[in-house]
Structures are given as C-alpha cells and as structure tokens.
Amino acid sequence: MLNKFREYLISKGFKEFSASNRSSTVIDYAWRISKIIEQEGITVEQLSTNINKYIELYGKLGEKWSTGQRSHQSYINALKNFRKFILVSRFGGQNA
C-alpha cells in the first residue's frame, strides 16, 4: 500500500527527488507513514481504517503534536495526504 501511496503522491505533482538528487517529499512522506505505523504498533490497513483518529492524535490538539509538527509538520502533512490517498483509493475521484 505504501508503494501505491508513493505513486499517488507522484501523480499529484510531489517530487521523489530534489534538484540535487536527494530524497524529497514522496520518499519522506512514505517514510513518515511507516514510522507512525511502527511507533503505534499497527498495520498500514489499521492506519487507513482509522486515519482520522491518527490525524487528531498527531494534530495541533492531539497528544502527539510534538511529533506531528516535526520537520515543518511533515508527520501531520504525511497523514493528511495519506487520508486523501485512502479516500481516492476507496471512493475514486481525482481531486482528493
């Protein structure tokens, strides 16, 4: 599923590598999602089923906001983009 998430991000214009050939947003967001899965002790399927719970948990008022805001809020941004990916995967559409 994380590979499909990477493909989704690329289709939305996110870059896999920067101009200096360093890992960019696509790789970073997929990595952050995998770290959340690891830290929470859940599967990617459990994350996708309960994505709103984790967005709240890592969001501004959540218990894990200190993690959510790290690296210019990359964790919470990765979760929000993962939610868009899940919605498109489940219900179709192009603009999520």
Side-chain angles (χ1 to χ4, degrees):
M1 185 180 286
L2 288 179
N3 285 334
K4 289 187 186 254
F5 178 50
R6 285 186 197 103
E7 291 170 14
Y8 166 81
L9 291 171
I10 291 168
S11 77
K12 294 299 179 188
F14 290 91
K15 300 294 180 202
E16 199 168 1
F17 295 99
S18 68
S20 60
N21 207 32
R22 298 184 78 177
S23 298
S24 195
T25 308
V26 171
I27 293 170
D28 183 63
Y29 281 6
W31 180 80
R32 291 186 194 277
I33 293 297
S34 69
K35 293 305 289 179
I36 290 169
I37 289 166
E38 180 183 312
Q39 290 170 357
E40 297 297 326
I42 58 175
T43 65
V44 69
E45 290 79 14
Q46 289 170 314
L47 177 64
S48 67
T49 300
N50 299 299
I51 189 66
N52 289 330
K53 168 188 168 182
Y54 291 100
I55 288 174
E56 268 187 45
L57 187 64
Y58 286 83
K60 285 187 179 183
L61 301 176
E63 289 176 32
K64 299 196 175 184
W65 172 238
S66 63
T67 299
Q69 68 177 349
R70 287 185 191 158
S71 300
H72 304 284
Q73 301 182 0
S74 289
Y75 280 94
I76 191 64
N77 290 332
L79 283 167
K80 288 177 180 179
N81 278 285
F82 190 70
R83 176 174 56 191
K84 290 176 186 178
F85 160 71
I86 294 302
L87 290 171
V88 167
S89 297
R90 286 187 186 148
F91 304 110
Q94 307 248 340
N95 298 321

Short mmCIF file of all heavy atoms in Angstrom, two decimals, residues 10-31:
data_model
loop_
_atom_site.label_atom_id
_atom_site.label_comp_id
_atom_site.label_asym_id
_atom_site.label_seq_id
_atom_site.Cartn_x
_atom_site.Cartn_y
_atom_site.Cartn_z
N ILE A 10 3.20 11.09 -6.48
CA ILE A 10 3.85 11.48 -7.74
C ILE A 10 2.79 11.97 -8.73
O ILE A 10 2.98 12.99 -9.40
CB ILE A 10 4.67 10.31 -8.32
CG1 ILE A 10 5.89 10.04 -7.42
CG2 ILE A 10 5.11 10.60 -9.75
CD1 ILE A 10 6.62 8.74 -7.72
N SER A 11 1.65 11.27 -8.78
CA SER A 11 0.59 11.69 -9.70
C SER A 11 0.01 13.05 -9.34
O SER A 11 -0.56 13.73 -10.18
CB SER A 11 -0.53 10.64 -9.75
OG SER A 11 -1.36 10.71 -8.59
N LYS A 12 0.17 13.45 -8.09
CA LYS A 12 -0.32 14.75 -7.63
C LYS A 12 0.75 15.84 -7.72
O LYS A 12 0.55 16.95 -7.26
CB LYS A 12 -0.83 14.65 -6.18
CG LYS A 12 -2.06 13.78 -6.04
CD LYS A 12 -3.19 14.35 -6.85
CE LYS A 12 -4.44 13.53 -6.78
NZ LYS A 12 -5.45 13.99 -7.72
N GLY A 13 1.90 15.49 -8.29
CA GLY A 13 2.93 16.50 -8.53
C GLY A 13 4.01 16.59 -7.47
O GLY A 13 4.90 17.45 -7.57
N PHE A 14 3.96 15.73 -6.48
CA PHE A 14 5.03 15.72 -5.48
C PHE A 14 6.28 15.11 -6.10
O PHE A 14 6.20 14.23 -6.94
CB PHE A 14 4.61 14.92 -4.23
CG PHE A 14 3.55 15.58 -3.41
CD1 PHE A 14 2.21 15.32 -3.65
CD2 PHE A 14 3.89 16.45 -2.39
CE1 PHE A 14 1.22 15.93 -2.89
CE2 PHE A 14 2.91 17.06 -1.62
CZ PHE A 14 1.57 16.81 -1.88
N LYS A 15 7.43 15.56 -5.66
CA LYS A 15 8.70 15.10 -6.22
C LYS A 15 9.29 13.97 -5.38
O LYS A 15 9.22 13.98 -4.16
CB LYS A 15 9.71 16.25 -6.28
CG LYS A 15 9.26 17.41 -7.12
CD LYS A 15 9.15 17.02 -8.57
CE LYS A 15 8.70 18.19 -9.42
NZ LYS A 15 8.11 17.81 -10.66
N GLU A 16 9.88 13.01 -6.09
CA GLU A 16 10.56 11.90 -5.43
C GLU A 16 11.98 12.31 -5.05
O GLU A 16 12.48 11.91 -4.01
CB GLU A 16 10.57 10.70 -6.37
CG GLU A 16 10.83 9.40 -5.70
CD GLU A 16 10.56 8.22 -6.60
OE1 GLU A 16 10.19 8.39 -7.78
OE2 GLU A 16 10.73 7.10 -6.12
N PHE A 17 12.61 13.12 -5.91
CA PHE A 17 13.97 13.57 -5.66
C PHE A 17 14.06 15.07 -5.91
O PHE A 17 13.39 15.60 -6.80
CB PHE A 17 14.97 12.83 -6.56
CG PHE A 17 15.03 11.36 -6.26
CD1 PHE A 17 14.32 10.46 -7.05
CD2 PHE A 17 15.76 10.88 -5.20
CE1 PHE A 17 14.35 9.10 -6.77
CE2 PHE A 17 15.79 9.52 -4.91
CZ PHE A 17 15.08 8.64 -5.70
N SER A 18 14.92 15.73 -5.15
CA SER A 18 15.14 17.16 -5.31
C SER A 18 16.07 17.40 -6.50
O SER A 18 16.62 16.45 -7.07
CB SER A 18 15.74 17.74 -4.03
OG SER A 18 17.06 17.25 -3.86
N ALA A 19 16.29 18.66 -6.82
CA ALA A 19 17.19 19.02 -7.92
C ALA A 19 18.61 18.52 -7.66
O ALA A 19 19.35 18.22 -8.59
CB ALA A 19 17.19 20.53 -8.12
N SER A 20 18.98 18.40 -6.40
CA SER A 20 20.31 17.91 -6.05
C SER A 20 20.32 16.39 -5.86
O SER A 20 21.25 15.84 -5.28
CB SER A 20 20.82 18.61 -4.79
OG SER A 20 19.94 18.36 -3.71
N ASN A 21 19.27 15.73 -6.35
CA ASN A 21 19.13 14.27 -6.32
C ASN A 21 19.04 13.69 -4.91
O ASN A 21 19.42 12.55 -4.67
CB ASN A 21 20.26 13.60 -7.11
CG ASN A 21 19.81 12.25 -7.65
OD1 ASN A 21 18.64 12.07 -7.97
ND2 ASN A 21 20.74 11.32 -7.75
N ARG A 22 18.52 14.47 -3.99
CA ARG A 22 18.29 13.99 -2.63
C ARG A 22 16.83 13.58 -2.50
O ARG A 22 15.98 14.06 -3.24
CB ARG A 22 18.63 15.08 -1.62
CG ARG A 22 20.10 15.49 -1.71
CD ARG A 22 20.45 16.47 -0.68
NE ARG A 22 20.59 15.75 0.58
CZ ARG A 22 20.94 16.30 1.71
NH1 ARG A 22 21.18 17.58 1.76
NH2 ARG A 22 21.06 15.59 2.80
N SER A 23 16.54 12.71 -1.56
CA SER A 23 15.17 12.28 -1.31
C SER A 23 14.29 13.49 -1.07
O SER A 23 14.69 14.43 -0.39
CB SER A 23 15.11 11.37 -0.09
OG SER A 23 15.86 10.21 -0.31
N SER A 24 13.09 13.45 -1.63
CA SER A 24 12.19 14.58 -1.48
C SER A 24 10.88 14.13 -0.84
O SER A 24 10.82 13.10 -0.17
CB SER A 24 11.97 15.23 -2.85
OG SER A 24 11.40 16.51 -2.70
N THR A 25 9.83 14.86 -1.09
CA THR A 25 8.55 14.70 -0.41
C THR A 25 7.97 13.30 -0.51
O THR A 25 7.51 12.75 0.49
CB THR A 25 7.53 15.73 -0.94
OG1 THR A 25 8.13 17.02 -0.88
CG2 THR A 25 6.26 15.72 -0.13
N VAL A 26 7.96 12.71 -1.68
CA VAL A 26 7.37 11.38 -1.86
C VAL A 26 8.01 10.36 -0.92
O VAL A 26 7.33 9.64 -0.21
CB VAL A 26 7.48 10.92 -3.33
CG1 VAL A 26 7.07 9.47 -3.48
CG2 VAL A 26 6.64 11.81 -4.23
N ILE A 27 9.31 10.32 -0.94
CA ILE A 27 10.04 9.37 -0.10
C ILE A 27 9.87 9.72 1.37
O ILE A 27 9.65 8.85 2.22
CB ILE A 27 11.52 9.32 -0.50
CG1 ILE A 27 11.62 8.70 -1.90
CG2 ILE A 27 12.35 8.53 0.50
CD1 ILE A 27 12.97 8.79 -2.54
N ASP A 28 9.92 11.01 1.69
CA ASP A 28 9.78 11.46 3.07
C ASP A 28 8.42 11.11 3.65
O ASP A 28 8.31 10.56 4.75
CB ASP A 28 10.02 12.97 3.17
CG ASP A 28 9.95 13.47 4.59
OD1 ASP A 28 10.80 13.04 5.41
OD2 ASP A 28 9.03 14.25 4.89
N TYR A 29 7.34 11.39 2.92
CA TYR A 29 6.00 11.12 3.44
C TYR A 29 5.77 9.63 3.63
O TYR A 29 5.19 9.21 4.64
CB TYR A 29 4.94 11.71 2.52
CG TYR A 29 4.71 13.19 2.68
CD1 TYR A 29 5.51 13.98 3.50
CD2 TYR A 29 3.68 13.82 1.99
CE1 TYR A 29 5.29 15.35 3.63
CE2 TYR A 29 3.45 15.18 2.12
CZ TYR A 29 4.25 15.94 2.93
OH TYR A 29 4.02 17.28 3.05
N ALA A 30 6.23 8.81 2.70
CA ALA A 30 6.07 7.36 2.85
C ALA A 30 6.87 6.87 4.06
O ALA A 30 6.39 6.03 4.83
CB ALA A 30 6.52 6.64 1.58
N TRP A 31 8.06 7.42 4.26
CA TRP A 31 8.87 7.05 5.41
C TRP A 31 8.18 7.46 6.72
O TRP A 31 8.14 6.69 7.67
CB TRP A 31 10.25 7.71 5.31
CG TRP A 31 11.14 7.38 6.47
CD1 TRP A 31 11.87 6.24 6.65
CD2 TRP A 31 11.38 8.19 7.62
NE1 TRP A 31 12.54 6.30 7.84
CE2 TRP A 31 12.26 7.48 8.46
CE3 TRP A 31 10.93 9.45 8.02
CZ2 TRP A 31 12.70 8.00 9.68
CZ3 TRP A 31 11.37 9.96 9.23
CH2 TRP A 31 12.25 9.24 10.05
#
